[in-house]
Amino acid sequence: MVKLNKIYTRTGDDGTTGLGSRERRLKSDLRVASYGTVDEANACIGMARVHLAETEPRIDAMLARIQNDLFDLGADLATPDTGEVLEYEPLRIVQSQVDRLEADIDALNTGLAPLRSFVLPGGKPAAAALHLARTVSRRAERLMVELRTIEGEIVSDAAMRYINRVSDFLFVASRAVNDNGALDVLWVPGQNR
């Protein structure tokens, strides 16, 4: 369990941070950028929830679960899998988290009309906030993909599937919040030529 007695430690004043494995890395390290961007996506979801808590309790509850899972994902990324046995069991994203997210996507998607164009971020404030969270989660995914290409840097398949589904969920949730797509703002190719 996490225990925070003191918020500032001064250990990061040199531009480094400690991973879950106690290894220190630069704050600009791709692994740190990956879990930092996951945290940023989580904050964006928190902002979306401000608009949803009273009007969309079902979606709000789904987002609350995702926020908790994103902390799990951050912990997963902050503890590199080196193959070495650790003195504790590191927290890892598991397939059941992906499965639950897919079930939530399917549940929300059943009420949506099929799309005939791309959706522009907008509509209700909550939908716009969900689109922002979606784009940040896609950035986290791109960083995780890049991290995975570095020799010795492991990002699990389950973690990759999870972050990919998060952005899918946020897209579907934005449409659900927009009166099941009725308030979606659709892209009109070449409209302003």
Side-chain angles (χ1 to χ4, degrees):
M1 216 48 199
V2 176
K3 183 178 177 184
L4 299 173
N5 290 331
K6 195 171 182 181
I7 298 304
Y8 65 90
T9 61
R10 297 187 176 108
T11 58
D13 291 350
D14 65 353
T16 65
T17 191
L19 299 181
S21 60
R22 296 195 174 96
E23 174 189 355
R24 295 208 59 87
R25 293 210 188 168
L26 288 174
K27 291 181 179 182
S28 59
D29 183 87
L30 192 54
R31 181 168 292 278
V32 177
S34 294
Y35 68 74
T37 307
V38 167
D39 187 40
E40 187 181 346
N42 202 338
C44 290
I45 290 171
M47 288 301 298
R49 290 186 64 205
V50 168
H51 298 285
L52 291 170
E54 293 181 19
T55 59
E56 299 280 355
R58 178 176 168 223
I59 294 174
D60 185 57
M62 292 173 178
L63 289 168
R65 287 191 298 269
I66 290 170
Q67 284 192 290
N68 199 82
D69 285 353
L70 287 176
F71 258 80
D72 289 355
L73 177 57
D76 186 330
L77 292 168
T79 309
D81 183 357
T82 62
E84 296 175 26
V85 176
L86 300 174
E87 54 197 56
Y88 61 92
E89 178 75 28
L91 190 57
R92 300 290 182 212
I93 291 293
V94 295
Q95 185 60 40
S96 61
Q97 290 168 296
V98 177
D99 294 342
R100 195 219 62 248
L101 200 46
E102 288 178 353
D104 287 347
I105 292 167
D106 292 342
L108 291 179
N109 200 43
T110 58
L112 301 179
L115 279 172
R116 305 228 186 300
S117 181
F118 288 104
V119 175
L120 301 177
K124 291 183 177 180
L130 288 166
H131 277 290
L132 178 60
R134 174 186 58 79
T135 63
V136 175
S137 70
R138 282 291 186 207
R139 180 161 31 97
E141 180 182 15
R142 290 189 301 272
L143 290 169
M144 289 167 61
V145 167
E146 186 179 356
L147 177 63
R148 209 173 184 196
T149 66
I150 298 171
E151 186 174 337
E153 294 287 2
I154 297 169
V155 178
S156 74
D157 291 342
M160 293 305 307
R161 283 191 296 273
Y162 188 83
I163 194 65
N164 188 25
R165 294 308 177 283
V166 166
S167 54
D168 294 337
F169 173 88
L170 293 169
F171 177 75
V172 171
S174 73
R175 296 198 66 222
V177 166
N178 265 343
D179 293 347
N180 286 323
L183 298 178
D184 283 343
V185 180
L186 299 180
W187 173 49
V188 180
Q191 178 181 27
N192 301 309
R193 286 184 179 180

PDB file of all heavy atoms in Angstrom, residues 29-66:
ATOM      1  N   ASP A  29      12.551  10.483 -19.214  1.00  0.00           N
ATOM      2  CA  ASP A  29      12.634   9.112 -19.710  1.00  0.00           C
ATOM      3  C   ASP A  29      11.298   8.691 -20.312  1.00  0.00           C
ATOM      4  O   ASP A  29      10.223   9.068 -19.823  1.00  0.00           O
ATOM      5  CB  ASP A  29      13.004   8.191 -18.540  1.00  0.00           C
ATOM      6  CG  ASP A  29      13.186   6.751 -18.958  1.00  0.00           C
ATOM      7  OD1 ASP A  29      14.306   6.403 -19.356  1.00  0.00           O
ATOM      8  OD2 ASP A  29      12.201   5.984 -18.875  1.00  0.00           O
ATOM      9  N   LEU A  30      11.324   7.908 -21.374  1.00  0.00           N
ATOM     10  CA  LEU A  30      10.113   7.501 -22.074  1.00  0.00           C
ATOM     11  C   LEU A  30       9.163   6.699 -21.175  1.00  0.00           C
ATOM     12  O   LEU A  30       7.940   6.840 -21.273  1.00  0.00           O
ATOM     13  CB  LEU A  30      10.468   6.712 -23.330  1.00  0.00           C
ATOM     14  CG  LEU A  30       9.352   6.450 -24.319  1.00  0.00           C
ATOM     15  CD1 LEU A  30       8.649   7.741 -24.742  1.00  0.00           C
ATOM     16  CD2 LEU A  30       9.902   5.733 -25.547  1.00  0.00           C
ATOM     17  N   ARG A  31       9.690   5.909 -20.276  1.00  0.00           N
ATOM     18  CA  ARG A  31       8.819   5.157 -19.352  1.00  0.00           C
ATOM     19  C   ARG A  31       8.099   6.129 -18.419  1.00  0.00           C
ATOM     20  O   ARG A  31       6.899   6.011 -18.188  1.00  0.00           O
ATOM     21  CB  ARG A  31       9.627   4.128 -18.547  1.00  0.00           C
ATOM     22  CG  ARG A  31       8.757   3.311 -17.588  1.00  0.00           C
ATOM     23  CD  ARG A  31       9.485   2.127 -17.016  1.00  0.00           C
ATOM     24  NE  ARG A  31       9.783   1.108 -18.005  1.00  0.00           N
ATOM     25  CZ  ARG A  31       8.919   0.174 -18.430  1.00  0.00           C
ATOM     26  NH1 ARG A  31       7.690   0.132 -17.953  1.00  0.00           N
ATOM     27  NH2 ARG A  31       9.276  -0.719 -19.323  1.00  0.00           N
ATOM     28  N   VAL A  32       8.809   7.113 -17.922  1.00  0.00           N
ATOM     29  CA  VAL A  32       8.203   8.116 -17.043  1.00  0.00           C
ATOM     30  C   VAL A  32       7.177   8.936 -17.827  1.00  0.00           C
ATOM     31  O   VAL A  32       6.079   9.218 -17.326  1.00  0.00           O
ATOM     32  CB  VAL A  32       9.282   9.013 -16.403  1.00  0.00           C
ATOM     33  CG1 VAL A  32       8.653  10.102 -15.548  1.00  0.00           C
ATOM     34  CG2 VAL A  32      10.257   8.162 -15.578  1.00  0.00           C
ATOM     35  N   ALA A  33       7.511   9.295 -19.061  1.00  0.00           N
ATOM     36  CA  ALA A  33       6.562  10.033 -19.908  1.00  0.00           C
ATOM     37  C   ALA A  33       5.312   9.199 -20.173  1.00  0.00           C
ATOM     38  O   ALA A  33       4.200   9.737 -20.212  1.00  0.00           O
ATOM     39  CB  ALA A  33       7.224  10.424 -21.228  1.00  0.00           C
ATOM     40  N   SER A  34       5.468   7.895 -20.315  1.00  0.00           N
ATOM     41  CA  SER A  34       4.319   7.016 -20.562  1.00  0.00           C
ATOM     42  C   SER A  34       3.365   7.017 -19.387  1.00  0.00           C
ATOM     43  O   SER A  34       2.163   7.266 -19.534  1.00  0.00           O
ATOM     44  CB  SER A  34       4.783   5.584 -20.856  1.00  0.00           C
ATOM     45  OG  SER A  34       5.502   5.529 -22.064  1.00  0.00           O
ATOM     46  N   TYR A  35       3.880   6.740 -18.183  1.00  0.00           N
ATOM     47  CA  TYR A  35       2.940   6.701 -17.058  1.00  0.00           C
ATOM     48  C   TYR A  35       2.503   8.095 -16.641  1.00  0.00           C
ATOM     49  O   TYR A  35       1.405   8.270 -16.109  1.00  0.00           O
ATOM     50  CB  TYR A  35       3.431   5.831 -15.896  1.00  0.00           C
ATOM     51  CG  TYR A  35       4.623   6.264 -15.089  1.00  0.00           C
ATOM     52  CD1 TYR A  35       4.544   7.308 -14.171  1.00  0.00           C
ATOM     53  CD2 TYR A  35       5.819   5.572 -15.180  1.00  0.00           C
ATOM     54  CE1 TYR A  35       5.631   7.670 -13.391  1.00  0.00           C
ATOM     55  CE2 TYR A  35       6.914   5.919 -14.395  1.00  0.00           C
ATOM     56  CZ  TYR A  35       6.819   6.968 -13.512  1.00  0.00           C
ATOM     57  OH  TYR A  35       7.890   7.319 -12.734  1.00  0.00           O
ATOM     58  N   GLY A  36       3.301   9.105 -16.929  1.00  0.00           N
ATOM     59  CA  GLY A  36       2.861  10.480 -16.687  1.00  0.00           C
ATOM     60  C   GLY A  36       1.702  10.873 -17.586  1.00  0.00           C
ATOM     61  O   GLY A  36       0.783  11.581 -17.160  1.00  0.00           O
ATOM     62  N   THR A  37       1.716  10.398 -18.811  1.00  0.00           N
ATOM     63  CA  THR A  37       0.630  10.699 -19.744  1.00  0.00           C
ATOM     64  C   THR A  37      -0.613   9.891 -19.399  1.00  0.00           C
ATOM     65  O   THR A  37      -1.735  10.377 -19.578  1.00  0.00           O
ATOM     66  CB  THR A  37       1.091  10.482 -21.196  1.00  0.00           C
ATOM     67  OG1 THR A  37       2.297  11.229 -21.402  1.00  0.00           O
ATOM     68  CG2 THR A  37       0.045  10.957 -22.184  1.00  0.00           C
ATOM     69  N   VAL A  38      -0.446   8.697 -18.876  1.00  0.00           N
ATOM     70  CA  VAL A  38      -1.587   7.935 -18.349  1.00  0.00           C
ATOM     71  C   VAL A  38      -2.229   8.733 -17.218  1.00  0.00           C
ATOM     72  O   VAL A  38      -3.459   8.851 -17.131  1.00  0.00           O
ATOM     73  CB  VAL A  38      -1.149   6.530 -17.877  1.00  0.00           C
ATOM     74  CG1 VAL A  38      -2.226   5.861 -17.048  1.00  0.00           C
ATOM     75  CG2 VAL A  38      -0.764   5.662 -19.072  1.00  0.00           C
ATOM     76  N   ASP A  39      -1.404   9.324 -16.363  1.00  0.00           N
ATOM     77  CA  ASP A  39      -1.911  10.146 -15.261  1.00  0.00           C
ATOM     78  C   ASP A  39      -2.643  11.378 -15.797  1.00  0.00           C
ATOM     79  O   ASP A  39      -3.688  11.777 -15.275  1.00  0.00           O
ATOM     80  CB  ASP A  39      -0.745  10.550 -14.355  1.00  0.00           C
ATOM     81  CG  ASP A  39      -1.187  11.254 -13.084  1.00  0.00           C
ATOM     82  OD1 ASP A  39      -2.208  10.847 -12.490  1.00  0.00           O
ATOM     83  OD2 ASP A  39      -0.495  12.198 -12.675  1.00  0.00           O
ATOM     84  N   GLU A  40      -2.117  11.964 -16.857  1.00  0.00           N
ATOM     85  CA  GLU A  40      -2.772  13.118 -17.478  1.00  0.00           C
ATOM     86  C   GLU A  40      -4.143  12.731 -18.032  1.00  0.00           C
ATOM     87  O   GLU A  40      -5.122  13.469 -17.864  1.00  0.00           O
ATOM     88  CB  GLU A  40      -1.871  13.663 -18.586  1.00  0.00           C
ATOM     89  CG  GLU A  40      -2.342  14.940 -19.207  1.00  0.00           C
ATOM     90  CD  GLU A  40      -1.417  15.427 -20.318  1.00  0.00           C
ATOM     91  OE1 GLU A  40      -0.280  14.930 -20.450  1.00  0.00           O
ATOM     92  OE2 GLU A  40      -1.854  16.325 -21.070  1.00  0.00           O
ATOM     93  N   ALA A  41      -4.230  11.580 -18.673  1.00  0.00           N
ATOM     94  CA  ALA A  41      -5.524  11.089 -19.175  1.00  0.00           C
ATOM     95  C   ALA A  41      -6.500  10.903 -18.020  1.00  0.00           C
ATOM     96  O   ALA A  41      -7.686  11.239 -18.125  1.00  0.00           O
ATOM     97  CB  ALA A  41      -5.333   9.780 -19.951  1.00  0.00           C
ATOM     98  N   ASN A  42      -5.989  10.389 -16.915  1.00  0.00           N
ATOM     99  CA  ASN A  42      -6.817  10.182 -15.728  1.00  0.00           C
ATOM    100  C   ASN A  42      -7.370  11.516 -15.219  1.00  0.00           C
ATOM    101  O   ASN A  42      -8.543  11.619 -14.859  1.00  0.00           O
ATOM    102  CB  ASN A  42      -5.980   9.486 -14.648  1.00  0.00           C
ATOM    103  CG  ASN A  42      -6.812   8.773 -13.625  1.00  0.00           C
ATOM    104  OD1 ASN A  42      -7.987   9.066 -13.420  1.00  0.00           O
ATOM    105  ND2 ASN A  42      -6.203   7.822 -12.952  1.00  0.00           N
ATOM    106  N   ALA A  43      -6.537  12.544 -15.206  1.00  0.00           N
ATOM    107  CA  ALA A  43      -6.991  13.867 -14.770  1.00  0.00           C
ATOM    108  C   ALA A  43      -8.063  14.413 -15.710  1.00  0.00           C
ATOM    109  O   ALA A  43      -9.042  15.031 -15.256  1.00  0.00           O
ATOM    110  CB  ALA A  43      -5.805  14.830 -14.693  1.00  0.00           C
ATOM    111  N   CYS A  44      -7.905  14.177 -17.002  1.00  0.00           N
ATOM    112  CA  CYS A  44      -8.921  14.612 -17.969  1.00  0.00           C
ATOM    113  C   CYS A  44     -10.247  13.887 -17.728  1.00  0.00           C
ATOM    114  O   CYS A  44     -11.317  14.499 -17.833  1.00  0.00           O
ATOM    115  CB  CYS A  44      -8.436  14.371 -19.401  1.00  0.00           C
ATOM    116  SG  CYS A  44      -7.096  15.441 -19.918  1.00  0.00           S
ATOM    117  N   ILE A  45     -10.179  12.614 -17.395  1.00  0.00           N
ATOM    118  CA  ILE A  45     -11.398  11.866 -17.075  1.00  0.00           C
ATOM    119  C   ILE A  45     -12.050  12.463 -15.830  1.00  0.00           C
ATOM    120  O   ILE A  45     -13.276  12.603 -15.767  1.00  0.00           O
ATOM    121  CB  ILE A  45     -11.093  10.366 -16.896  1.00  0.00           C
ATOM    122  CG1 ILE A  45     -10.726   9.744 -18.243  1.00  0.00           C
ATOM    123  CG2 ILE A  45     -12.281   9.637 -16.270  1.00  0.00           C
ATOM    124  CD1 ILE A  45     -10.192   8.332 -18.160  1.00  0.00           C
ATOM    125  N   GLY A  46     -11.241  12.848 -14.857  1.00  0.00           N
ATOM    126  CA  GLY A  46     -11.777  13.504 -13.665  1.00  0.00           C
ATOM    127  C   GLY A  46     -12.532  14.772 -14.010  1.00  0.00           C
ATOM    128  O   GLY A  46     -13.601  15.051 -13.446  1.00  0.00           O
ATOM    129  N   MET A  47     -12.011  15.540 -14.948  1.00  0.00           N
ATOM    130  CA  MET A  47     -12.705  16.757 -15.383  1.00  0.00           C
ATOM    131  C   MET A  47     -14.019  16.412 -16.094  1.00  0.00           C
ATOM    132  O   MET A  47     -15.028  17.089 -15.911  1.00  0.00           O
ATOM    133  CB  MET A  47     -11.814  17.591 -16.304  1.00  0.00           C
ATOM    134  CG  MET A  47     -10.669  18.277 -15.586  1.00  0.00           C
ATOM    135  SD  MET A  47     -11.208  19.407 -14.284  1.00  0.00           S
ATOM    136  CE  MET A  47     -12.138  20.609 -15.205  1.00  0.00           C
ATOM    137  N   ALA A  48     -14.024  15.368 -16.882  1.00  0.00           N
ATOM    138  CA  ALA A  48     -15.258  14.945 -17.550  1.00  0.00           C
ATOM    139  C   ALA A  48     -16.298  14.508 -16.520  1.00  0.00           C
ATOM    140  O   ALA A  48     -17.486  14.822 -16.651  1.00  0.00           O
ATOM    141  CB  ALA A  48     -14.965  13.807 -18.522  1.00  0.00           C
ATOM    142  N   ARG A  49     -15.847  13.830 -15.479  1.00  0.00           N
ATOM    143  CA  ARG A  49     -16.769  13.341 -14.454  1.00  0.00           C
ATOM    144  C   ARG A  49     -17.468  14.469 -13.716  1.00  0.00           C
ATOM    145  O   ARG A  49     -18.589  14.296 -13.234  1.00  0.00           O
ATOM    146  CB  ARG A  49     -16.039  12.423 -13.468  1.00  0.00           C
ATOM    147  CG  ARG A  49     -15.633  11.098 -14.099  1.00  0.00           C
ATOM    148  CD  ARG A  49     -15.039  10.156 -13.083  1.00  0.00           C
ATOM    149  NE  ARG A  49     -16.056   9.807 -12.094  1.00  0.00           N
ATOM    150  CZ  ARG A  49     -15.784   9.424 -10.856  1.00  0.00           C
ATOM    151  NH1 ARG A  49     -14.534   9.340 -10.436  1.00  0.00           N
ATOM    152  NH2 ARG A  49     -16.766   9.114 -10.025  1.00  0.00           N
ATOM    153  N   VAL A  50     -16.821  15.621 -13.617  1.00  0.00           N
ATOM    154  CA  VAL A  50     -17.442  16.783 -12.981  1.00  0.00           C
ATOM    155  C   VAL A  50     -18.762  17.122 -13.681  1.00  0.00           C
ATOM    156  O   VAL A  50     -19.738  17.513 -13.051  1.00  0.00           O
ATOM    157  CB  VAL A  50     -16.481  17.998 -13.020  1.00  0.00           C
ATOM    158  CG1 VAL A  50     -17.189  19.283 -12.649  1.00  0.00           C
ATOM    159  CG2 VAL A  50     -15.287  17.747 -12.107  1.00  0.00           C
ATOM    160  N   HIS A  51     -18.791  16.927 -14.998  1.00  0.00           N
ATOM    161  CA  HIS A  51     -19.979  17.243 -15.797  1.00  0.00           C
ATOM    162  C   HIS A  51     -21.009  16.103 -15.797  1.00  0.00           C
ATOM    163  O   HIS A  51     -22.121  16.292 -16.277  1.00  0.00           O
ATOM    164  CB  HIS A  51     -19.588  17.536 -17.246  1.00  0.00           C
ATOM    165  CG  HIS A  51     -18.684  18.710 -17.399  1.00  0.00           C
ATOM    166  ND1 HIS A  51     -19.122  20.010 -17.277  1.00  0.00           N
ATOM    167  CD2 HIS A  51     -17.359  18.781 -17.666  1.00  0.00           C
ATOM    168  CE1 HIS A  51     -18.110  20.830 -17.470  1.00  0.00           C
ATOM    169  NE2 HIS A  51     -17.027  20.118 -17.701  1.00  0.00           N
ATOM    170  N   LEU A  52     -20.622  14.923 -15.312  1.00  0.00           N
ATOM    171  CA  LEU A  52     -21.459  13.731 -15.471  1.00  0.00           C
ATOM    172  C   LEU A  52     -22.071  13.185 -14.185  1.00  0.00           C
ATOM    173  O   LEU A  52     -23.046  12.447 -14.241  1.00  0.00           O
ATOM    174  CB  LEU A  52     -20.621  12.584 -16.061  1.00  0.00           C
ATOM    175  CG  LEU A  52     -20.162  12.729 -17.482  1.00  0.00           C
ATOM    176  CD1 LEU A  52     -19.157  11.647 -17.816  1.00  0.00           C
ATOM    177  CD2 LEU A  52     -21.332  12.656 -18.417  1.00  0.00           C
ATOM    178  N   ALA A  53     -21.484  13.489 -13.062  1.00  0.00           N
ATOM    179  CA  ALA A  53     -21.819  12.801 -11.811  1.00  0.00           C
ATOM    180  C   ALA A  53     -23.315  12.752 -11.533  1.00  0.00           C
ATOM    181  O   ALA A  53     -23.839  11.711 -11.128  1.00  0.00           O
ATOM    182  CB  ALA A  53     -21.076  13.440 -10.642  1.00  0.00           C
ATOM    183  N   GLU A  54     -24.014  13.841 -11.766  1.00  0.00           N
ATOM    184  CA  GLU A  54     -25.442  13.879 -11.438  1.00  0.00           C
ATOM    185  C   GLU A  54     -26.333  13.462 -12.605  1.00  0.00           C
ATOM    186  O   GLU A  54     -27.419  12.937 -12.387  1.00  0.00           O
ATOM    187  CB  GLU A  54     -25.820  15.281 -10.957  1.00  0.00           C
ATOM    188  CG  GLU A  54     -25.165  15.616  -9.629  1.00  0.00           C
ATOM    189  CD  GLU A  54     -25.545  16.988  -9.120  1.00  0.00           C
ATOM    190  OE1 GLU A  54     -26.568  17.543  -9.577  1.00  0.00           O
ATOM    191  OE2 GLU A  54     -24.820  17.498  -8.252  1.00  0.00           O
ATOM    192  N   THR A  55     -25.877  13.689 -13.837  1.00  0.00           N
ATOM    193  CA  THR A  55     -26.741  13.430 -14.994  1.00  0.00           C
ATOM    194  C   THR A  55     -26.548  12.049 -15.614  1.00  0.00           C
ATOM    195  O   THR A  55     -27.461  11.537 -16.247  1.00  0.00           O
ATOM    196  CB  THR A  55     -26.506  14.493 -16.086  1.00  0.00           C
ATOM    197  OG1 THR A  55     -25.127  14.448 -16.488  1.00  0.00           O
ATOM    198  CG2 THR A  55     -26.861  15.881 -15.572  1.00  0.00           C
ATOM    199  N   GLU A  56     -25.379  11.468 -15.441  1.00  0.00           N
ATOM    200  CA  GLU A  56     -25.060  10.174 -16.075  1.00  0.00           C
ATOM    201  C   GLU A  56     -24.389   9.246 -15.058  1.00  0.00           C
ATOM    202  O   GLU A  56     -23.216   8.893 -15.208  1.00  0.00           O
ATOM    203  CB  GLU A  56     -24.131  10.386 -17.274  1.00  0.00           C
ATOM    204  CG  GLU A  56     -24.693  11.233 -18.388  1.00  0.00           C
ATOM    205  CD  GLU A  56     -25.641  10.467 -19.300  1.00  0.00           C
ATOM    206  OE1 GLU A  56     -25.793   9.235 -19.120  1.00  0.00           O
ATOM    207  OE2 GLU A  56     -26.233  11.108 -20.176  1.00  0.00           O
ATOM    208  N   PRO A  57     -25.114   8.807 -14.023  1.00  0.00           N
ATOM    209  CA  PRO A  57     -24.466   8.009 -12.967  1.00  0.00           C
ATOM    210  C   PRO A  57     -23.876   6.694 -13.474  1.00  0.00           C
ATOM    211  O   PRO A  57     -22.848   6.242 -12.959  1.00  0.00           O
ATOM    212  CB  PRO A  57     -25.589   7.780 -11.958  1.00  0.00           C
ATOM    213  CG  PRO A  57     -26.860   8.058 -12.687  1.00  0.00           C
ATOM    214  CD  PRO A  57     -26.532   9.040 -13.765  1.00  0.00           C
ATOM    215  N   ARG A  58     -24.483   6.089 -14.466  1.00  0.00           N
ATOM    216  CA  ARG A  58     -23.965   4.817 -15.006  1.00  0.00           C
ATOM    217  C   ARG A  58     -22.603   5.025 -15.661  1.00  0.00           C
ATOM    218  O   ARG A  58     -21.654   4.284 -15.402  1.00  0.00           O
ATOM    219  CB  ARG A  58     -24.964   4.252 -16.008  1.00  0.00           C
ATOM    220  CG  ARG A  58     -24.540   2.977 -16.665  1.00  0.00           C
ATOM    221  CD  ARG A  58     -25.673   2.485 -17.572  1.00  0.00           C
ATOM    222  NE  ARG A  58     -25.239   1.426 -18.429  1.00  0.00           N
ATOM    223  CZ  ARG A  58     -25.553   1.326 -19.717  1.00  0.00           C
ATOM    224  NH1 ARG A  58     -26.325   2.222 -20.283  1.00  0.00           N
ATOM    225  NH2 ARG A  58     -25.117   0.328 -20.419  1.00  0.00           N
ATOM    226  N   ILE A  59     -22.496   6.053 -16.502  1.00  0.00           N
ATOM    227  CA  ILE A  59     -21.226   6.342 -17.176  1.00  0.00           C
ATOM    228  C   ILE A  59     -20.205   6.831 -16.152  1.00  0.00           C
ATOM    229  O   ILE A  59     -19.027   6.469 -16.211  1.00  0.00           O
ATOM    230  CB  ILE A  59     -21.429   7.346 -18.321  1.00  0.00           C
ATOM    231  CG1 ILE A  59     -22.290   6.709 -19.425  1.00  0.00           C
ATOM    232  CG2 ILE A  59     -20.091   7.817 -18.886  1.00  0.00           C
ATOM    233  CD1 ILE A  59     -22.688   7.651 -20.542  1.00  0.00           C
ATOM    234  N   ASP A  60     -20.648   7.622 -15.191  1.00  0.00           N
ATOM    235  CA  ASP A  60     -19.754   8.106 -14.145  1.00  0.00           C
ATOM    236  C   ASP A  60     -19.145   6.932 -13.381  1.00  0.00           C
ATOM    237  O   ASP A  60     -17.941   6.938 -13.078  1.00  0.00           O
ATOM    238  CB  ASP A  60     -20.508   9.043 -13.200  1.00  0.00           C
ATOM    239  CG  ASP A  60     -19.591   9.664 -12.176  1.00  0.00           C
ATOM    240  OD1 ASP A  60     -18.599  10.314 -12.570  1.00  0.00           O
ATOM    241  OD2 ASP A  60     -19.862   9.497 -10.963  1.00  0.00           O
ATOM    242  N   ALA A  61     -19.938   5.926 -13.063  1.00  0.00           N
ATOM    243  CA  ALA A  61     -19.426   4.748 -12.352  1.00  0.00           C
ATOM    244  C   ALA A  61     -18.398   3.996 -13.199  1.00  0.00           C
ATOM    245  O   ALA A  61     -17.376   3.512 -12.688  1.00  0.00           O
ATOM    246  CB  ALA A  61     -20.576   3.825 -11.954  1.00  0.00           C
ATOM    247  N   MET A  62     -18.663   3.898 -14.512  1.00  0.00           N
ATOM    248  CA  MET A  62     -17.705   3.250 -15.409  1.00  0.00           C
ATOM    249  C   MET A  62     -16.391   4.029 -15.431  1.00  0.00           C
ATOM    250  O   MET A  62     -15.303   3.441 -15.400  1.00  0.00           O
ATOM    251  CB  MET A  62     -18.283   3.161 -16.824  1.00  0.00           C
ATOM    252  CG  MET A  62     -19.449   2.219 -16.971  1.00  0.00           C
ATOM    253  SD  MET A  62     -20.153   2.370 -18.644  1.00  0.00           S
ATOM    254  CE  MET A  62     -21.448   1.135 -18.586  1.00  0.00           C
ATOM    255  N   LEU A  63     -16.495   5.351 -15.484  1.00  0.00           N
ATOM    256  CA  LEU A  63     -15.299   6.192 -15.508  1.00  0.00           C
ATOM    257  C   LEU A  63     -14.526   6.096 -14.191  1.00  0.00           C
ATOM    258  O   LEU A  63     -13.289   6.133 -14.197  1.00  0.00           O
ATOM    259  CB  LEU A  63     -15.679   7.642 -15.805  1.00  0.00           C
ATOM    260  CG  LEU A  63     -16.138   7.912 -17.236  1.00  0.00           C
ATOM    261  CD1 LEU A  63     -16.768   9.297 -17.335  1.00  0.00           C
ATOM    262  CD2 LEU A  63     -15.002   7.745 -18.221  1.00  0.00           C
ATOM    263  N   ALA A  64     -15.231   5.960 -13.082  1.00  0.00           N
ATOM    264  CA  ALA A  64     -14.562   5.799 -11.791  1.00  0.00           C
ATOM    265  C   ALA A  64     -13.721   4.521 -11.789  1.00  0.00           C
ATOM    266  O   ALA A  64     -12.585   4.515 -11.291  1.00  0.00           O
ATOM    267  CB  ALA A  64     -15.583   5.775 -10.655  1.00  0.00           C
ATOM    268  N   ARG A  65     -14.257   3.441 -12.350  1.00  0.00           N
ATOM    269  CA  ARG A  65     -13.487   2.188 -12.447  1.00  0.00           C
ATOM    270  C   ARG A  65     -12.270   2.379 -13.340  1.00  0.00           C
ATOM    271  O   ARG A  65     -11.174   1.900 -13.026  1.00  0.00           O
ATOM    272  CB  ARG A  65     -14.374   1.057 -12.967  1.00  0.00           C
ATOM    273  CG  ARG A  65     -15.390   0.553 -11.962  1.00  0.00           C
ATOM    274  CD  ARG A  65     -16.067  -0.725 -12.409  1.00  0.00           C
ATOM    275  NE  ARG A  65     -16.819  -0.596 -13.635  1.00  0.00           N
ATOM    276  CZ  ARG A  65     -18.114  -0.267 -13.704  1.00  0.00           C
ATOM    277  NH1 ARG A  65     -18.790  -0.013 -12.600  1.00  0.00           N
ATOM    278  NH2 ARG A  65     -18.735  -0.193 -14.870  1.00  0.00           N
ATOM    279  N   ILE A  66     -12.448   3.084 -14.451  1.00  0.00           N
ATOM    280  CA  ILE A  66     -11.333   3.328 -15.367  1.00  0.00           C
ATOM    281  C   ILE A  66     -10.257   4.150 -14.671  1.00  0.00           C
ATOM    282  O   ILE A  66      -9.062   3.855 -14.809  1.00  0.00           O
ATOM    283  CB  ILE A  66     -11.825   4.014 -16.656  1.00  0.00           C
ATOM    284  CG1 ILE A  66     -12.663   3.032 -17.484  1.00  0.00           C
ATOM    285  CG2 ILE A  66     -10.649   4.554 -17.475  1.00  0.00           C
ATOM    286  CD1 ILE A  66     -13.404   3.664 -18.649  1.00  0.00           C
TER     287      ILE A  66
END
